């Protein structure tokens, strides 16, 4: 298969960047991508047989790294979803495995049953969708997580350093992305809590503007 339809969404999808994303991302993240991803995955506190959802997974780097920590034959499974067909096609080719699957889907309309995942993660995705979709997407995550399920979100947030302020505000204007403006005004913790999760704990901030939050479905 060399084509997969994208899913309609008002979010900013990255079909056009799918071919170069893996080359560019380490540079965009100032060489910190692997370290940040490893700490994001540690924050999930994985058990071998967990079912984990990665929302806005892009080319599936984080999804596959999660799958590699799960059992290969038991119930353990990492599922990555992205609205961009080309991202999912690339993810399947490069990183698909029996316990690592990828599907096209919009975060605001997840094609999964209630309480079907043990934990959920999202890296650098929520600054791609506008506030109303952020609210719906977190409600969807709440719906598909089991009670006690862990939510880990790593995304742009209120800048803490001059460097972070510069990068965050420059990206917002160069990319014409008001969704970034929402993130750097600090909307994420409130929206996560409004969806029903426990108040998010800010675990760490990277590069002065990317924050790691953990929360639970009570
Ligand atoms: C910056 S990338 C992050 C990819 C990956 N999580 C990472 O850390 O490298 C944001 C992704 O969100 C996807 N996206 C945008 N709107 C979406 C939506 N409504 N639902 C699901 N994915 C969406 C884009 O296609 C893109 O692949």
């Amino acid at each position: 298969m060399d084509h997969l339809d994208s899913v309609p969404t008002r979010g900013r999808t990255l079909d056009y960047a799918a071919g170069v994303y893996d080359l560019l991302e380490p540079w965009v993240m100032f060489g910190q991508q692997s370290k940040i991803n490893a700490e994001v995955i540690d924050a999930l506190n994985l058990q071998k047989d967990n079912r984990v959802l990665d929302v806005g997974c892009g080319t599936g780097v984080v999804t596959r790294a999660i799958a590699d920590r799960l059992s290969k034959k038991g119930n353990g499974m990492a599922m990555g979803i992205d609205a961009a067909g080309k991202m999912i096609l690339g993810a399947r080719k490069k990183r698909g495995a029996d316990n690592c699957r990828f599907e096209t889907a919009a975060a605001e309309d997840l094609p999964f049953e209630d309480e079907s995942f043990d934990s959920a993660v999202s890296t650098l995705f929520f600054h791609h969708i506008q506030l109303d979709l952020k609210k719906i997407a977190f409600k969807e995550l709440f719906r598909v997580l089991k009670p006690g399920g862990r939510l880990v979100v790593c995304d742009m947030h209120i800048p803490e350093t001059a460097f972070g302020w510069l990068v965050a505000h420059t990206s917002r204007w160069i990319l014409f992305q008001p969704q970034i403006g929402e993130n750097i005004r600090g909307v994420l913790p409130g929206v996560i809590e409004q969806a029903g999760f426990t108040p998010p704990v800010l675990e760490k901030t990277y590069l002065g503007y990317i924050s790691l939050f953990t929360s639970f479905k009570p």
Side-chain angles (χ1 to χ4, degrees):
M1 184 197 284
D2 58 5
H3 176 79
L4 194 58
D5 284 336
S6 297
V7 172
T9 175
R10 284 183 290 113
R12 183 169 293 205
T13 53
L14 290 185
D15 269 312
Y16 63 90
V20 292
Y21 189 84
D22 282 348
L23 291 174
L24 291 183
E25 189 64 359
W27 295 92
V28 172
M29 298 298 290
F30 300 94
Q32 297 292 296
Q33 186 192 20
S34 302
K35 170 185 161 27
I36 297 173
N37 287 350
E39 293 186 7
V40 164
I41 296 167
D42 284 346
L44 282 165
N45 200 15
L46 293 170
Q47 308 298 309
K48 285 273 183 195
D49 63 349
N50 278 170
R51 286 171 50 87
V52 186
L53 177 62
D54 180 5
V55 170
C57 66
T59 56
V61 174
V62 171
T63 327
R64 179 57 195 255
I66 292 168
D68 287 343
R69 294 209 204 169
L70 302 175
S71 61
K72 304 266 182 295
K73 296 208 170 110
N75 292 328
M77 198 265 290
M79 166 65 75
I81 67 103
D82 199 287
K86 286 186 181 163
M87 283 293 201
I88 291 299
L89 208 52
R92 281 183 185 171
K93 278 186 191 154
K94 288 196 254 184
R95 308 202 167 91
D98 285 348
N99 70 347
C100 187
R101 300 186 210 152
F102 296 96
E103 298 293 342
T104 50
E108 61 271 24
D109 186 18
L110 293 174
F112 304 114
E113 289 180 12
D114 297 358
E115 302 183 5
S116 50
F117 289 94
D118 298 288
S119 52
V121 65
S122 170
T123 55
L124 302 175
F125 158 65
F126 275 95
H127 68 274
H128 279 249
I129 58 174
Q130 36 279 80
L131 188 57
D132 63 320
L133 295 187
K134 287 178 172 72
K135 289 180 181 170
I136 301 171
F138 279 118
K139 283 189 181 145
E140 278 290 84
L141 283 168
F142 189 86
R143 179 182 69 74
V144 302
L145 271 179
K146 296 176 186 172
R150 186 179 286 242
L151 174 72
V152 175
V153 175
C154 187
D155 218 307
M156 299 178 77
H157 186 53
I158 303 169
E160 290 184 357
T161 62
F163 175 79
W165 190 96
L166 191 67
V167 176
H169 284 269
T170 306
S171 333
R172 185 260 174 267
W173 291 106
I174 285 185
L175 299 171
F176 296 103
Q177 206 159 314
Q179 301 94 325
I180 292 178
E182 296 162 3
N183 275 51
I184 63 184
R185 281 200 305 278
V187 302
L188 283 183
V191 177
I192 292 172
E193 200 175 343
Q194 270 170 26
F197 290 99
T198 57
V201 175
L202 199 170
E203 305 280 359
K204 204 159 180 182
T205 296
Y206 303 97
L207 300 166
Y209 73 105
I210 296 173
S211 294
L212 172 61
F213 293 102
T214 57
S215 187
F216 291 90
K217 174 170 174 172

